[in-house]
Amino acid sequence: MRAPPTIQLAFNGVPLLQPLTGIGNYTVQLAKRMLNSDGLEPHFFYGTHWSRQVSAQAAPSVQKLLPWIRKNIPRSYDIRQWLQSRRFHAGAARGGFDLYHEPNNIPLPFDGPLVLTVHDLSWIRYPHMHPAERVQAMEKRFEGGLRRATRVITDSQFVKQELIDVFGIAPEKIHPVALGADERFAPKTPEQTQQTLLQHQLQYGRYFLAVGTLEPRKNLQLALNAFMAMPRLLRQRHPLVLVGMTGWHASPLQAQLAPLLAAGEVKQLGYLAPDELADIMAAACALIYPSIYEGFGLPPLEAMACGVPVIASNVSSIPEVVGDTGILLDPQDTAGLTEAMTTLASAPEVRANLSARAHQRSQNFSWDHCANQTRHIYHLALGHT
């Protein structure tokens, strides 16, 4: 049987131009693999131009400017979407693409088969946890793009069911494809992480780690309250380390953090480059992930790949990732989280057991598998058998 012709793929690379959080990581991992895939010629759109290369992130000055634009320029979402739509449509008309993959929820205009990745519906389930302008933009554009899609990819079975329940999308049109953990995330010895830990004045296995943008949905307030309920000596011996950018509506949390930062019981490292984050992750006592809603939850998987136990919420997609290898709690259970943190800090045998099971389960997830399944969905969208 003759192989299908090479697919000319239009792929939106705009998520690569910002610091790589969940969607950015998903986009870059797929983009790299599509670039080296037989039978596929990807063309990446970067907002102002097209390229055959996987681009690096935007310059630091641009990264600092984006939050200011969102805060101070009215209708910045609409303006940016309008400009990108015009440039994308013009380039797509010249490029003669067979297929367009939008990896970030809202597709740009395209006259042809569309594969759309939907990461979550948090803006519907918890609109008060997003900036109003973001919610308005999603309400205006999301459903039309969803219904235009030839095939829809979700990060989890949970999000697939959300799309069925909320929008009535046919189940056979939706394909759950689990994410993976970058190869940087692996078990590491104290010697392998020593340089990074010295830089941040941390000790191997002697701190709790919380990874995520400082915003309401990540529920870091619960992690902070649970940590504060631990005995003071234990807090001093196992500080809470926060990694992630400062997001929307973070001021109340930052005000509560101030005295703890001054006392050294909490350390706020901000956004870290992937290599540095991998060292910080691998040397943690446990990852604390009390998020209220996730479409997948990449940090728990990355921690599991490092052999680090996870204490996480028992809601949305998180149980699909963690399974029975971590401690899953109600996202409002402060006392339960305090007890779990205390146990992992003081019972090395419990931590060792969870560590081994977590690492073993993480091997079921990989970016190569994610990319292979995605390529198969491309062929389904094009009607290839």
Side-chain angles (χ1 to χ4, degrees):
M1 184 174 62
R2 189 166 60 182
T6 298
I7 298 172
Q8 299 296 323
L9 174 69
F11 190 98
N12 191 357
V14 169
L16 302 180
L17 303 181
Q18 302 180 35
L20 298 182
T21 53
I23 294 176
N25 273 307
Y26 169 79
T27 304
V28 74
Q29 295 291 347
L30 276 190
K32 288 178 178 178
R33 285 162 176 79
M34 297 310 168
L35 192 62
N36 298 308
S37 177
D38 292 337
L40 199 62
E41 288 190 7
H43 303 256
F44 303 106
F45 175 69
Y46 292 113
T48 59
H49 65 282
W50 292 81
S51 173
R52 292 298 312 278
Q53 302 300 316
V54 177
S55 175
Q57 294 179 30
S61 59
V62 176
Q63 294 180 5
K64 292 179 181 178
L65 185 61
L66 285 173
W68 184 91
I69 291 174
R70 292 174 185 141
K71 182 178 180 180
N72 294 284
I73 297 182
R75 300 184 63 196
S76 61
Y77 281 94
D78 288 338
I79 294 170
R80 184 176 57 180
Q81 192 78 7
W82 180 78
L83 290 171
Q84 289 183 5
S85 294
R86 289 195 55 160
R87 290 187 177 273
F88 182 88
H89 188 265
R94 293 192 304 269
F97 302 123
D98 301 308
L99 178 71
Y100 162 37
H101 183 181
E102 174 50 62
N104 188 15
N105 296 311
I106 300 179
L108 297 163
F110 183 73
D111 298 325
L114 163 65
V115 173
L116 173 66
T117 299
V118 176
H119 296 282
D120 64 66
L121 298 185
S122 59
W123 54 277
I124 290 178
R125 299 303 194 189
Y126 298 94
H128 59 289
M129 293 186 174
H130 291 271
E133 191 176 9
R134 182 187 301 167
V135 174
Q136 291 165 6
M138 295 296 287
E139 288 176 344
K140 182 178 180 180
R141 294 189 172 92
F142 177 78
E143 184 172 359
L146 175 66
R147 298 199 182 280
R148 276 200 294 118
T150 313
R151 299 280 173 164
V152 178
I153 296 174
T154 61
D155 299 341
S156 59
Q157 291 283 348
F158 167 77
V159 178
K160 174 176 179 174
Q161 191 60 50
E162 290 271 86
L163 291 177
I164 295 169
D165 293 344
V166 176
F167 294 101
I169 303 299
E172 60 272 16
K173 182 179 174 178
I174 310 170
H175 305 269
V177 179
L179 311 188
D182 188 275
E183 60 186 12
R184 295 181 179 93
F185 293 94
K188 297 185 180 184
T189 65
E191 292 73 24
Q192 289 174 305
T193 60
Q194 182 179 18
Q195 184 175 352
T196 301
L197 295 182
L198 283 174
Q199 179 183 345
H200 295 288
Q201 299 181 314
L202 296 171
Q203 296 184 49
Y204 188 92
R206 292 278 291 272
Y207 58 89
F208 293 104
L209 179 63
V211 176
T213 303
L214 267 65
E215 61 183 16
R217 180 164 63 97
K218 298 302 181 181
N219 201 24
L220 293 178
Q221 186 74 58
L222 178 83
L224 193 59
N225 292 341
F227 177 74
M228 288 302 299
M230 293 172 62
R232 185 173 184 181
L233 185 61
L234 202 55
R235 295 201 310 267
Q236 293 173 337
R237 196 164 65 235
H238 286 75
L240 176 63
V241 176
L242 305 179
V243 172
M245 297 182 297
T246 299
W248 174 77
H249 200 55
S251 297
L253 181 62
Q254 288 183 310
Q256 188 175 357
L257 282 172
L260 299 173
L261 292 168
E265 294 182 7
V266 175
K267 295 179 181 290
Q268 189 173 359
L269 306 188
Y271 177 81
L272 297 180
D275 287 337
E276 196 173 6
L277 174 59
D279 284 350
I280 295 293
M281 186 80 81
C285 173
L287 177 76
I288 312 303
Y289 201 73
S291 181
I292 292 172
Y293 180 104
E294 293 292 329
F296 184 81
L298 198 52
L301 178 59
E302 292 168 342
M304 292 159 62
C306 292
V308 170
V310 174
I311 307 173
S313 301
N314 61 358
V315 297
S316 62
S317 65
I318 297 172
E320 288 184 47
V321 179
V322 178
D324 62 354
T325 71
I327 301 175
L328 298 179
L329 302 166
D330 185 283
Q332 305 302 327
D333 187 359
T334 304
L337 181 53
T338 299
E339 181 182 355
M341 294 169 72
T342 302
T343 297
L344 291 187
S346 55
E349 69 284 356
V350 175
R351 183 182 181 279
N353 178 267
L354 290 176
S355 173
R357 289 162 54 194
H359 184 256
Q360 182 178 8
R361 181 175 174 84
S362 74
Q363 305 307 298
N364 297 330
F365 302 81
S366 79
W367 285 118
D368 285 341
H369 182 63
C370 178
N372 289 338
Q373 287 188 289
T374 301
R375 283 191 293 267
H376 175 65
I377 294 164
Y378 291 168
H379 286 285
L380 292 177
L382 290 167
H384 298 165
T385 57

